Amino acid sequence: QHDFAARFGAARACGDIVAATRAAHDLKNGAGTIGAINVQAAAAALENACAHGAADEVIDPLLQAAARALGPVVAGSQALRE
C-alpha cells in the first residue's frame, strides 16, 4: 500500500470515485489485517466520506491523515525487508 495516496489521487483525478472508495476500503482492510489501527481508522473515515459523496474539502484532509498514518507503517515494513 506504499502507493496508496498516488492510486487514490489518480482515481479522483479521473473522476472515478468508485475506484477511490475501493482504494480506501482496501487500505482499511489491509491495515486491519496487520493491526495498524491508526491507518485502519483513517482509511475507514476516508472510505466513508467517499461513499457518501463528500466534497473535496472533506476528502483532502482525510486523505492527508491516512497518508500520515500510513507513512510509519510503510517505513517499518521496508526496514524489515532490509
Side-chain angles (χ1 to χ4, degrees):
Q1 294 288 346
H2 67 281
D3 62 344
F4 165 74
R7 287 186 303 109
F8 185 88
R12 282 181 66 206
C14 293
D16 190 349
I17 195 64
V18 172
T21 304
R22 171 57 60 189
H25 176 81
D26 291 347
L27 178 62
K28 177 188 75 173
N29 286 350
T33 298
I34 64 169
I37 296 168
N38 291 339
V39 177
Q40 184 180 28
L46 182 57
E47 177 188 15
N48 187 51
C50 290
H52 288 92
D56 288 348
E57 303 83 55
V58 173
I59 291 177
D60 289 342
L62 293 173
L63 173 59
Q64 292 171 1
R68 273 194 312 274
L70 183 58
V73 175
V74 170
S77 172
Q78 289 173 339
L80 289 173
R81 291 183 203 161
E82 296 175 358

